[in-house]
Amino acid sequence: MRKHLKRLTLLHSNDMHGDFLAEEVDQQLVGGVSMLSGYVGRVREEEKNVLYCIAGDMFRGSVIDAEYKGISTIEIMNMLSPDVVAVGNHEMDYGVPHLCRDK
């Protein structure tokens, strides 16, 4: 029966709130989209059957996100090539038409 089982690796991020820059904590860089991108990419190379999911609340919280009303956030997160994205409550902050805009 085990021969029919497959390993599935789930990666997820949530509540990023437009905060995409790494920070130095105890002389180490933590967080940031560049580090997240590297991690997701490495796991995708090393494992089969990987799903990267974004669980919402990508918007609101940073000056950059506020200035571009989430557009920069969408473009940045799209570069991570998520397999699944859930819409959180903050994705509605700029209105549904804005969220659904066509480039």
PDB file of all heavy atoms in Angstrom, residues 9-16 36 39-40 43-44 50-56 77 80 82-86:
ATOM      1  N   THR A   9       4.979  18.476  -0.212  1.00  0.00           N
ATOM      2  CA  THR A   9       5.562  19.518   0.620  1.00  0.00           C
ATOM      3  C   THR A   9       4.730  20.782   0.466  1.00  0.00           C
ATOM      4  O   THR A   9       4.570  21.290  -0.647  1.00  0.00           O
ATOM      5  CB  THR A   9       7.025  19.791   0.217  1.00  0.00           C
ATOM      6  OG1 THR A   9       7.769  18.585   0.342  1.00  0.00           O
ATOM      7  CG2 THR A   9       7.646  20.862   1.087  1.00  0.00           C
ATOM      8  N   LEU A  10       4.190  21.268   1.566  1.00  0.00           N
ATOM      9  CA  LEU A  10       3.404  22.503   1.578  1.00  0.00           C
ATOM     10  C   LEU A  10       4.229  23.617   2.202  1.00  0.00           C
ATOM     11  O   LEU A  10       4.735  23.471   3.316  1.00  0.00           O
ATOM     12  CB  LEU A  10       2.124  22.325   2.378  1.00  0.00           C
ATOM     13  CG  LEU A  10       1.097  21.339   1.842  1.00  0.00           C
ATOM     14  CD1 LEU A  10      -0.055  21.196   2.817  1.00  0.00           C
ATOM     15  CD2 LEU A  10       0.591  21.777   0.484  1.00  0.00           C
ATOM     16  N   LEU A  11       4.355  24.708   1.499  1.00  0.00           N
ATOM     17  CA  LEU A  11       4.994  25.911   2.029  1.00  0.00           C
ATOM     18  C   LEU A  11       3.930  26.995   2.050  1.00  0.00           C
ATOM     19  O   LEU A  11       3.076  27.047   1.172  1.00  0.00           O
ATOM     20  CB  LEU A  11       6.142  26.355   1.115  1.00  0.00           C
ATOM     21  CG  LEU A  11       7.240  25.342   0.850  1.00  0.00           C
ATOM     22  CD1 LEU A  11       8.221  25.899  -0.182  1.00  0.00           C
ATOM     23  CD2 LEU A  11       7.962  24.991   2.134  1.00  0.00           C
ATOM     24  N   HIS A  12       3.986  27.848   3.060  1.00  0.00           N
ATOM     25  CA  HIS A  12       3.007  28.931   3.067  1.00  0.00           C
ATOM     26  C   HIS A  12       3.583  30.169   3.725  1.00  0.00           C
ATOM     27  O   HIS A  12       4.529  30.106   4.512  1.00  0.00           O
ATOM     28  CB  HIS A  12       1.710  28.503   3.763  1.00  0.00           C
ATOM     29  CG  HIS A  12       1.628  28.901   5.182  1.00  0.00           C
ATOM     30  ND1 HIS A  12       2.328  28.278   6.180  1.00  0.00           N
ATOM     31  CD2 HIS A  12       0.930  29.902   5.779  1.00  0.00           C
ATOM     32  CE1 HIS A  12       2.055  28.858   7.336  1.00  0.00           C
ATOM     33  NE2 HIS A  12       1.216  29.846   7.120  1.00  0.00           N
ATOM     34  N   SER A  13       3.010  31.281   3.354  1.00  0.00           N
ATOM     35  CA  SER A  13       3.286  32.541   4.034  1.00  0.00           C
ATOM     36  C   SER A  13       1.945  33.228   4.231  1.00  0.00           C
ATOM     37  O   SER A  13       0.988  32.970   3.507  1.00  0.00           O
ATOM     38  CB  SER A  13       4.238  33.422   3.216  1.00  0.00           C
ATOM     39  OG  SER A  13       3.707  33.706   1.949  1.00  0.00           O
ATOM     40  N   ASN A  14       1.883  34.073   5.227  1.00  0.00           N
ATOM     41  CA  ASN A  14       0.663  34.839   5.465  1.00  0.00           C
ATOM     42  C   ASN A  14       0.991  36.080   6.279  1.00  0.00           C
ATOM     43  O   ASN A  14       2.051  36.180   6.889  1.00  0.00           O
ATOM     44  CB  ASN A  14      -0.417  33.998   6.161  1.00  0.00           C
ATOM     45  CG  ASN A  14      -0.029  33.545   7.536  1.00  0.00           C
ATOM     46  OD1 ASN A  14       0.826  32.674   7.671  1.00  0.00           O
ATOM     47  ND2 ASN A  14      -0.621  34.117   8.564  1.00  0.00           N
ATOM     48  N   ASP A  15       0.072  37.010   6.255  1.00  0.00           N
ATOM     49  CA  ASP A  15       0.167  38.247   7.034  1.00  0.00           C
ATOM     50  C   ASP A  15       1.488  38.983   6.824  1.00  0.00           C
ATOM     51  O   ASP A  15       2.090  39.477   7.766  1.00  0.00           O
ATOM     52  CB  ASP A  15      -0.061  37.957   8.524  1.00  0.00           C
ATOM     53  CG  ASP A  15      -1.481  37.526   8.794  1.00  0.00           C
ATOM     54  OD1 ASP A  15      -2.349  38.411   8.799  1.00  0.00           O
ATOM     55  OD2 ASP A  15      -1.727  36.315   8.960  1.00  0.00           O
ATOM     56  N   MET A  16       1.898  39.099   5.568  1.00  0.00           N
ATOM     57  CA  MET A  16       3.138  39.820   5.285  1.00  0.00           C
ATOM     58  C   MET A  16       2.926  41.342   5.351  1.00  0.00           C
ATOM     59  O   MET A  16       3.856  42.087   5.597  1.00  0.00           O
ATOM     60  CB  MET A  16       3.693  39.395   3.939  1.00  0.00           C
ATOM     61  CG  MET A  16       4.125  37.939   3.994  1.00  0.00           C
ATOM     62  SD  MET A  16       5.024  37.373   2.573  1.00  0.00           S
ATOM     63  CE  MET A  16       6.564  38.222   2.761  1.00  0.00           C
ATOM     64  N   LEU A  36      12.756  34.670   1.447  1.00  0.00           N
ATOM     65  CA  LEU A  36      11.626  33.769   1.206  1.00  0.00           C
ATOM     66  C   LEU A  36      11.725  33.173  -0.195  1.00  0.00           C
ATOM     67  O   LEU A  36      11.544  31.969  -0.387  1.00  0.00           O
ATOM     68  CB  LEU A  36      10.302  34.512   1.377  1.00  0.00           C
ATOM     69  CG  LEU A  36       9.027  33.742   1.039  1.00  0.00           C
ATOM     70  CD1 LEU A  36       8.889  32.506   1.930  1.00  0.00           C
ATOM     71  CD2 LEU A  36       7.813  34.648   1.173  1.00  0.00           C
ATOM     72  N   TYR A  39      14.358  30.517  -0.304  1.00  0.00           N
ATOM     73  CA  TYR A  39      13.927  29.295   0.383  1.00  0.00           C
ATOM     74  C   TYR A  39      12.932  28.503  -0.462  1.00  0.00           C
ATOM     75  O   TYR A  39      13.080  27.294  -0.652  1.00  0.00           O
ATOM     76  CB  TYR A  39      13.311  29.638   1.743  1.00  0.00           C
ATOM     77  CG  TYR A  39      12.835  28.419   2.483  1.00  0.00           C
ATOM     78  CD1 TYR A  39      13.741  27.557   3.084  1.00  0.00           C
ATOM     79  CD2 TYR A  39      11.486  28.107   2.552  1.00  0.00           C
ATOM     80  CE1 TYR A  39      13.310  26.408   3.740  1.00  0.00           C
ATOM     81  CE2 TYR A  39      11.047  26.972   3.207  1.00  0.00           C
ATOM     82  CZ  TYR A  39      11.964  26.133   3.800  1.00  0.00           C
ATOM     83  OH  TYR A  39      11.533  24.997   4.443  1.00  0.00           O
ATOM     84  N   VAL A  40      11.922  29.191  -0.988  1.00  0.00           N
ATOM     85  CA  VAL A  40      10.917  28.519  -1.820  1.00  0.00           C
ATOM     86  C   VAL A  40      11.590  27.892  -3.037  1.00  0.00           C
ATOM     87  O   VAL A  40      11.320  26.741  -3.388  1.00  0.00           O
ATOM     88  CB  VAL A  40       9.786  29.495  -2.235  1.00  0.00           C
ATOM     89  CG1 VAL A  40       8.875  28.872  -3.284  1.00  0.00           C
ATOM     90  CG2 VAL A  40       8.981  29.926  -1.014  1.00  0.00           C
ATOM     91  N   VAL A  43      13.595  24.714  -1.999  1.00  0.00           N
ATOM     92  CA  VAL A  43      12.718  23.579  -1.706  1.00  0.00           C
ATOM     93  C   VAL A  43      12.144  23.015  -2.999  1.00  0.00           C
ATOM     94  O   VAL A  43      12.071  21.794  -3.173  1.00  0.00           O
ATOM     95  CB  VAL A  43      11.600  23.959  -0.713  1.00  0.00           C
ATOM     96  CG1 VAL A  43      10.580  22.846  -0.560  1.00  0.00           C
ATOM     97  CG2 VAL A  43      12.200  24.310   0.644  1.00  0.00           C
ATOM     98  N   ARG A  44      11.759  23.884  -3.917  1.00  0.00           N
ATOM     99  CA  ARG A  44      11.215  23.415  -5.203  1.00  0.00           C
ATOM    100  C   ARG A  44      12.251  22.615  -5.995  1.00  0.00           C
ATOM    101  O   ARG A  44      11.901  21.691  -6.711  1.00  0.00           O
ATOM    102  CB  ARG A  44      10.710  24.590  -6.029  1.00  0.00           C
ATOM    103  CG  ARG A  44       9.378  25.119  -5.557  1.00  0.00           C
ATOM    104  CD  ARG A  44       8.931  26.315  -6.358  1.00  0.00           C
ATOM    105  NE  ARG A  44       7.531  26.636  -6.087  1.00  0.00           N
ATOM    106  CZ  ARG A  44       6.997  27.816  -6.312  1.00  0.00           C
ATOM    107  NH1 ARG A  44       7.715  28.798  -6.823  1.00  0.00           N
ATOM    108  NH2 ARG A  44       5.727  28.036  -6.042  1.00  0.00           N
ATOM    109  N   VAL A  50       5.709  20.134  -4.675  1.00  0.00           N
ATOM    110  CA  VAL A  50       5.751  21.263  -3.740  1.00  0.00           C
ATOM    111  C   VAL A  50       4.638  22.242  -4.101  1.00  0.00           C
ATOM    112  O   VAL A  50       4.478  22.611  -5.267  1.00  0.00           O
ATOM    113  CB  VAL A  50       7.115  21.989  -3.798  1.00  0.00           C
ATOM    114  CG1 VAL A  50       7.111  23.229  -2.911  1.00  0.00           C
ATOM    115  CG2 VAL A  50       8.236  21.049  -3.411  1.00  0.00           C
ATOM    116  N   LEU A  51       3.884  22.645  -3.103  1.00  0.00           N
ATOM    117  CA  LEU A  51       2.884  23.696  -3.266  1.00  0.00           C
ATOM    118  C   LEU A  51       3.266  24.858  -2.365  1.00  0.00           C
ATOM    119  O   LEU A  51       3.472  24.675  -1.162  1.00  0.00           O
ATOM    120  CB  LEU A  51       1.488  23.210  -2.878  1.00  0.00           C
ATOM    121  CG  LEU A  51       0.808  22.219  -3.798  1.00  0.00           C
ATOM    122  CD1 LEU A  51      -0.537  21.807  -3.212  1.00  0.00           C
ATOM    123  CD2 LEU A  51       0.604  22.813  -5.183  1.00  0.00           C
ATOM    124  N   TYR A  52       3.365  26.062  -2.959  1.00  0.00           N
ATOM    125  CA  TYR A  52       3.598  27.265  -2.169  1.00  0.00           C
ATOM    126  C   TYR A  52       2.287  28.039  -2.134  1.00  0.00           C
ATOM    127  O   TYR A  52       1.743  28.418  -3.172  1.00  0.00           O
ATOM    128  CB  TYR A  52       4.717  28.120  -2.754  1.00  0.00           C
ATOM    129  CG  TYR A  52       4.819  29.474  -2.088  1.00  0.00           C
ATOM    130  CD1 TYR A  52       4.867  29.587  -0.701  1.00  0.00           C
ATOM    131  CD2 TYR A  52       4.840  30.632  -2.832  1.00  0.00           C
ATOM    132  CE1 TYR A  52       4.929  30.827  -0.086  1.00  0.00           C
ATOM    133  CE2 TYR A  52       4.915  31.873  -2.234  1.00  0.00           C
ATOM    134  CZ  TYR A  52       4.955  31.955  -0.860  1.00  0.00           C
ATOM    135  OH  TYR A  52       5.005  33.186  -0.248  1.00  0.00           O
ATOM    136  N   CYS A  53       1.774  28.266  -0.951  1.00  0.00           N
ATOM    137  CA  CYS A  53       0.477  28.915  -0.745  1.00  0.00           C
ATOM    138  C   CYS A  53       0.660  30.231   0.008  1.00  0.00           C
ATOM    139  O   CYS A  53       1.430  30.297   0.963  1.00  0.00           O
ATOM    140  CB  CYS A  53      -0.446  28.008   0.064  1.00  0.00           C
ATOM    141  SG  CYS A  53      -0.574  26.338  -0.580  1.00  0.00           S
ATOM    142  N   ILE A  54      -0.059  31.233  -0.412  1.00  0.00           N
ATOM    143  CA  ILE A  54      -0.102  32.504   0.317  1.00  0.00           C
ATOM    144  C   ILE A  54      -1.481  32.586   0.951  1.00  0.00           C
ATOM    145  O   ILE A  54      -2.493  32.525   0.264  1.00  0.00           O
ATOM    146  CB  ILE A  54       0.149  33.696  -0.623  1.00  0.00           C
ATOM    147  CG1 ILE A  54       1.534  33.574  -1.270  1.00  0.00           C
ATOM    148  CG2 ILE A  54       0.017  35.005   0.151  1.00  0.00           C
ATOM    149  CD1 ILE A  54       1.818  34.625  -2.318  1.00  0.00           C
ATOM    150  N   ALA A  55      -1.508  32.716   2.262  1.00  0.00           N
ATOM    151  CA  ALA A  55      -2.758  32.625   3.011  1.00  0.00           C
ATOM    152  C   ALA A  55      -3.395  33.985   3.293  1.00  0.00           C
ATOM    153  O   ALA A  55      -4.180  34.121   4.222  1.00  0.00           O
ATOM    154  CB  ALA A  55      -2.525  31.856   4.314  1.00  0.00           C
ATOM    155  N   GLY A  56      -3.066  34.987   2.494  1.00  0.00           N
ATOM    156  CA  GLY A  56      -3.756  36.268   2.604  1.00  0.00           C
ATOM    157  C   GLY A  56      -3.061  37.312   3.457  1.00  0.00           C
ATOM    158  O   GLY A  56      -2.004  37.095   4.027  1.00  0.00           O
ATOM    159  N   MET A  77       4.716  39.543  -5.018  1.00  0.00           N
ATOM    160  CA  MET A  77       4.294  38.193  -4.639  1.00  0.00           C
ATOM    161  C   MET A  77       4.123  37.303  -5.869  1.00  0.00           C
ATOM    162  O   MET A  77       4.390  36.103  -5.804  1.00  0.00           O
ATOM    163  CB  MET A  77       3.014  38.239  -3.809  1.00  0.00           C
ATOM    164  CG  MET A  77       3.183  38.966  -2.474  1.00  0.00           C
ATOM    165  SD  MET A  77       4.577  38.402  -1.481  1.00  0.00           S
ATOM    166  CE  MET A  77       3.966  36.843  -0.884  1.00  0.00           C
ATOM    167  N   LEU A  80       7.102  35.261  -6.854  1.00  0.00           N
ATOM    168  CA  LEU A  80       7.354  34.030  -6.091  1.00  0.00           C
ATOM    169  C   LEU A  80       6.613  32.842  -6.692  1.00  0.00           C
ATOM    170  O   LEU A  80       6.776  31.718  -6.239  1.00  0.00           O
ATOM    171  CB  LEU A  80       6.930  34.212  -4.632  1.00  0.00           C
ATOM    172  CG  LEU A  80       7.728  35.235  -3.833  1.00  0.00           C
ATOM    173  CD1 LEU A  80       7.117  35.414  -2.449  1.00  0.00           C
ATOM    174  CD2 LEU A  80       9.181  34.848  -3.734  1.00  0.00           C
ATOM    175  N   PRO A  82       3.373  31.725  -6.619  1.00  0.00           N
ATOM    176  CA  PRO A  82       2.590  30.873  -5.713  1.00  0.00           C
ATOM    177  C   PRO A  82       1.652  29.960  -6.494  1.00  0.00           C
ATOM    178  O   PRO A  82       1.200  30.307  -7.587  1.00  0.00           O
ATOM    179  CB  PRO A  82       1.802  31.888  -4.873  1.00  0.00           C
ATOM    180  CG  PRO A  82       1.708  33.107  -5.742  1.00  0.00           C
ATOM    181  CD  PRO A  82       2.974  33.127  -6.551  1.00  0.00           C
ATOM    182  N   ASP A  83       1.385  28.819  -5.918  1.00  0.00           N
ATOM    183  CA  ASP A  83       0.457  27.868  -6.529  1.00  0.00           C
ATOM    184  C   ASP A  83      -0.977  28.167  -6.115  1.00  0.00           C
ATOM    185  O   ASP A  83      -1.914  27.895  -6.865  1.00  0.00           O
ATOM    186  CB  ASP A  83       0.828  26.439  -6.114  1.00  0.00           C
ATOM    187  CG  ASP A  83       2.222  26.086  -6.595  1.00  0.00           C
ATOM    188  OD1 ASP A  83       2.397  25.974  -7.821  1.00  0.00           O
ATOM    189  OD2 ASP A  83       3.137  25.941  -5.752  1.00  0.00           O
ATOM    190  N   VAL A  84      -1.144  28.699  -4.912  1.00  0.00           N
ATOM    191  CA  VAL A  84      -2.466  29.005  -4.357  1.00  0.00           C
ATOM    192  C   VAL A  84      -2.360  30.322  -3.594  1.00  0.00           C
ATOM    193  O   VAL A  84      -1.397  30.535  -2.864  1.00  0.00           O
ATOM    194  CB  VAL A  84      -2.931  27.895  -3.378  1.00  0.00           C
ATOM    195  CG1 VAL A  84      -4.270  28.245  -2.758  1.00  0.00           C
ATOM    196  CG2 VAL A  84      -2.983  26.548  -4.061  1.00  0.00           C
ATOM    197  N   VAL A  85      -3.357  31.186  -3.780  1.00  0.00           N
ATOM    198  CA  VAL A  85      -3.409  32.435  -3.017  1.00  0.00           C
ATOM    199  C   VAL A  85      -4.817  32.613  -2.480  1.00  0.00           C
ATOM    200  O   VAL A  85      -5.786  32.554  -3.237  1.00  0.00           O
ATOM    201  CB  VAL A  85      -3.036  33.657  -3.890  1.00  0.00           C
ATOM    202  CG1 VAL A  85      -3.187  34.945  -3.101  1.00  0.00           C
ATOM    203  CG2 VAL A  85      -1.624  33.526  -4.434  1.00  0.00           C
ATOM    204  N   ALA A  86      -4.916  32.827  -1.193  1.00  0.00           N
ATOM    205  CA  ALA A  86      -6.201  33.139  -0.559  1.00  0.00           C
ATOM    206  C   ALA A  86      -6.285  34.651  -0.380  1.00  0.00           C
ATOM    207  O   ALA A  86      -5.281  35.317  -0.126  1.00  0.00           O
ATOM    208  CB  ALA A  86      -6.316  32.445   0.792  1.00  0.00           C
TER     209      ALA A  86
END
